[in-house]
Amino acid sequence: MLSKIITNRQAARRKRRALTPAALLTLAGGLGISALLCGAITRLEYDNQALAFERSAGVRTAALRRGLDEAVGVLNVTHQLFTTVQPVTRPQFHDFTAPLLQRNPYIQALTFRRMVADDERAGFEAELGRLRPGTRIVESQGGRLVTAPRRARYDVVDYVEPMQGNGALLGLNASPGGASARAIERARASGEAAATGLLRLGQDPVDGLGFEVVMPVSAADGRPLGDTAAVVCVRSLAHAALAHAGLQADNGILLRLYAGAATVPASLAYANDGGKGRAAAVPPALLAGGFSGRSLHRFAVGGQTWTVEALAAPRPYVATHLGSLLLLGGGILSSLLLTAFVQAAGQRTRKVQELVQQRTADLKLANQRLIDDVLARKQTEKALQDSEQRFRQLAAMSSDWYWEQDQDLRFVEVTGDFTEKTGFSTGRLLGKTPWDVLLPELTDSHGGRAHLAQIEAHQPFRNLECRAIDDGGDERWFCISGEPMFDERARFKGYRGTGSDITARKLTEQRIHHVAQHDVLTGLPNRSLLQDRLGQAVALADRSGRAIWVMLIDLDRFKYVNDSMGHKAGDVLLMTVAARLRAALRDSDTVARLSGDEFVVIVSEHQQEPLDAAVVQRLMDAVARPMLLGPSEFFVTCSIGVAAYAGTRPAGARPGDDAASNDPAHGALPADSLIEHADIAMYRAKKLGRNNFQFHTPAMNEESLERVRIEGALRNALERDEFVLHYQPQVDLRTGQVVGMEALIRWRHPELGMVPPVRFVGVAEETGLIVPIGAWVMRTACAQTKAWHEAGLGKLRVAVNLSARQFGAADLLPSIEAALEDSGLEPACLELELTESLFMSDITPAVELLHRMKVLGIHLSIDDFGTGYSSLSYLSRFPIDVLKIDRSFVNDITEDANDAAIVASIIALAHNLRLSVIAEGVETAEQLDYLRRQGCDEIQGYYFSRPLPAADFEQLLRQRRTLARRG
C-alpha cells in the first residue's frame, strides 16, 4: 500500500514535470515563427546592403569620371589659347596656365609640342639652349633620355609649365610608336582630346603613375603646328575628385581604377586600399555569411577606356545582420518564456479550481463591502464636484487672480494661481507694496502720480496698467483694479482687487507699432518713421546750429542680381547691405529703407565729430566688401547723393564754430526737400559712372529741370516731325567703295536748335519713348535706302541701332516686317546693330529672338564689341554677321600696344567665326593702315566722312567718292 502511494506520488510528480500539449504547441509555434522572421529580415538586410553598395559605387564612379573630364577640360581651355591667339609667346603661356595649375594641382605639367622639321633642328635647339643651357632634342629609350636620332620631323616639347620640376621635358620628342605619339595620331584623326595609357611619371616619384592628354594645334590655314598636352597624376586626380565629393574618408568601399577594359594588375592606376585587396578585419569565423559585393563600371575619356572596380569592404556577419540575430534570439527567448508561462498556468489552474470554492464566500462579503465603499465615494465625489463648480463660477466671474493689501498697502494675500500666471513668486510679493515690485517707476509719469493721489484719497481705481520684470528676467504687463476696504467704524483697513496679465496684448501692440514704422525685410525704419526721424534731426540742427547730412544710397546693378540669381538672393543682398550700413554708423544716426534698393541715411554733426566726405566713403567701403550669394562671391557697389542742412545757428555763435560751414557742399537747404535733393545728387552720381558720391548743388536743380523740359518736348517731337536722320558711310577696305551707311538720329528743336543724341536718347530710353522713335528711324532709313537703290546709287546696306527697350518689345518682329514691306527694301539690305548688354541677362530667349530675326533675311551686328561682358561660348551661339569694334579701342591702336593687340584679336576671332568686322571711329591714316594690315573688312569714321544729312550723303554717292589706297 505504501509503495502504491509512493508510486502515485512519483507519477503525479512526473506528470507535473512533463510538458502539457498547450506548452508543446506554444514552443513549436514560437520557434517556427522566429525562424521565418529571421530569414525574411536576413534577406532584407542583404538586399539593403547590395542596394547601398551599388549606389555608393555609382557615386564614386561618377566622381572619378568627373575628375577625368575636368582634366580634359583644362587641356581644352589651354588649347583655346592657341586657337585664339597665334603665335602664343612663353610669357602668355605662363600667365595663362598659372591659374589653371593652381586650381588643378593634380596636373603635373601643361606642355606645347611644336612640329620641327629636320632642317630647323639646329635653330630650335639653340633657342632652347638660351632658355635652359645644354638643352637638346631627346627621346626616351629604355627609361633613359638619349639624343634623338635624325628624323624628317620631330614633335618636341617647346613650352612647359610649371618649369620647376619639369625642365627636363624641354626638347623631349614624342618617340615614334610610343604612347604619346599614338595619342597624338588619334587626336589629329578625331580633332578631339586623346589620352595615353598609364605612364610612369618622373615628376612625381611618390604617386608614380599618370597619363597624358593631347590635342592638335593647327594654324589658321589648317597647317598642323603641334599639339598641347597635359600630364596628369592619376592618384592625385582620384584623391581630388573623391575629396571634392566628400568620399575620400569613407573606407566602406574598396575602389580601384584601371586604365583599360581589363582589370589586371598591370593596368591598375589607383586603389584606395593601396592595391592590397581586402584585409581581414575580423576572424574568419565571424565573417561567415557576411555581405560581399563587386561592381564594374566602364567609361571613356579622351578616347581611353577606364574601368572602375568597386568591392564591398569586409564586415563581420554580426555587424551586418544584428537585427535578424536580435530578432532570432528574442524570438527563442520569448518562446521559452511563453512556454514556461503556459506550463505554469496549466499547473496553477488545478490549484485555482480548488481555491475557488473557498474564496467564493469571502468574495461575496468583500463585494458587499466594496459596494458600500463605492456609494460613500460617489457621495464624496458629488460634494467635491459641487464645490469645484462653485469655485469655477467664482473664478469665471473674477479676473485672473485676487489680491488683498493691509492699511499700509502691503500685500497680505494673493490667490488664483498667481505664480503660474505672472511668473512672480508669492514670497516676492507678500509683505511689500506695489511700487516695491510692480510699479517701481510709478512716480516718474503723470499717470502714476494721478494713481498715487487716488490711493492717498482711498478711492477705487480701474484698469491700471503697469510693467514689471518677473522672476525669469522677462518683462510683464499687468492690468490691476482695486477698491478700498473699511471696517464697521469706517476706518480704512486696506485694498482688495483683481489683476490680469496683459503681456500678450502689449507685445502685439508693440509689434503692430514696429511693423507700421519698420521695413519687414531689413528691419530698418520705413518711409513713415524716416520722416519723423528727419523732423527730429532738423529740429536738433535748428537748436544746436550743427549741420546734418541726408544721404540717398542706391545699389548699382541690383536688378542684375534679381534677374540672374533670383529674388531670394536679392533679399539676402538687401539684408546684408542694411546690416553693413548700421554697423558703419553711430547709434545716434539713422539708416532707413526708402524703397526697393534705395536707402536713406541721416547723420548729425557732433561737437567732437565734424562731418566730412570720409563719412560717405566709409559707407561706400562697407557696401563694397565682397559677400556670398549662394555658392558665388559677389561684389556690389553703390551710388550716393548727399544733401546738407545747416540748421539755425544759436544766438551768440561765432563764425567758424560750425564745422560744416567750411564744407563746399554745405548749404541751407529747406528741410522738407532734403531727400529730394539727395535723390537728384544720387542720380548725378549714377550718370557719372556709378560707384561714387555727389553733393547736391544748385546746378543739379537746373539739370533736373532741363531733363524735365527735354522729356516734355520729346513727347511731341514725333508728331511735329522734328527728327531727322544723318548717315555715316561704311567703306569696304578692299575696294575703297561705300557699301553701306549707319543711320543716326538728330533732333531739330524749334527753340533749342539741333539737340545732340546724348541729351535726349537716355531720357527716351528711360521713359519708353525710344520704342516709337526707334520704329520711326527704321521706317525712315528703309524708305531712304530704297530710294537710293532706285536712283541707281548702288546696292547699299543701311545699319540701324536697336535699343534695349525695342529688343524687349513684343511687337519687334512685326514692326521690322512692316518697315521692310512698306518701303520695299530687300531684307538683306537692312542691318540691325545690337549692343552686348541687350541679351546677356537671359541668353536663351535672346538667342531664340535673334534666330527669328535672321529668318526674315536681315543682317545682325554686335555694336561696341569688347566693352560689355559677353562670353565667347555665347558669341558662337548668336546668328550674327558683323562685329563692330568700338572706337575706344581704335583711338590708340597706333600708340597703345594693348589696344592694338585687342583689335587684332577681335579681327582674328571674327574671321575664325566667319564674321565681318567694321571698325568705328577711324580718324587718321595710321589707324587705317593698321586696320588694313590686320585684315579688317570695313571702316567708318571722320577720316572718310562725318555723318551727313540725306541730301549731302546722296551728293557724296553721286560723286562716286572712294577711299584712296596707300602703297
Side-chain angles (χ1 to χ4, degrees), residues 362-399:
D362 296 338
L363 288 175
K364 289 181 179 180
L365 180 59
N367 188 45
Q368 185 61 42
R369 291 176 179 175
L370 181 61
I371 291 173
D372 296 338
D373 290 342
V374 169
L375 292 175
R377 182 173 296 178
K378 286 184 177 180
Q379 292 174 356
T380 303
E381 290 178 352
K382 181 65 168 61
L384 290 176
Q385 289 174 356
D386 293 341
S387 176
E388 183 179 359
Q389 185 176 5
R390 288 193 297 271
F391 176 77
R392 289 181 179 276
Q393 290 174 349
L394 179 61
M397 290 184 293
S398 67
S399 186

Side-chain angles (χ1 to χ4, degrees), residues 933-951:
R933 291 196 302 271
Q934 297 302 322
C936 184
D937 300 297
E938 300 175 17
I939 62 100
Q940 70 181 74
Y942 286 4
Y943 180 77
F944 184 81
S945 173
R946 294 174 176 270
L948 301 173

Side-chain angles (χ1 to χ4, degrees), residues 69 127 132 137 230 234 417 428 462 468 518 559 587 678 680 696 760 781 848 854 874 900 905 911 928 934 940:
D69 288 335
E127 180 181 353
R132 188 170 182 266
I137 297 180
V234 179
D417 296 333
R428 181 181 171 187
R462 295 286 182 270
H518 290 78
K559 184 177 183 299
D587 292 339
I680 293 174
H696 178 270
F760 69 86
E848 294 177 358
K854 282 295 295 180
Y874 289 166
S905 299
H911 287 168
L928 179 63
Q934 297 302 322
Q940 70 181 74

Side-chain angles (χ1 to χ4, degrees), residues 871-882:
S871 166
L872 295 181
S873 62
Y874 289 166
L875 187 61
S876 64
R877 297 172 56 187
F878 297 152
I880 58 175
D881 305 285
V882 181

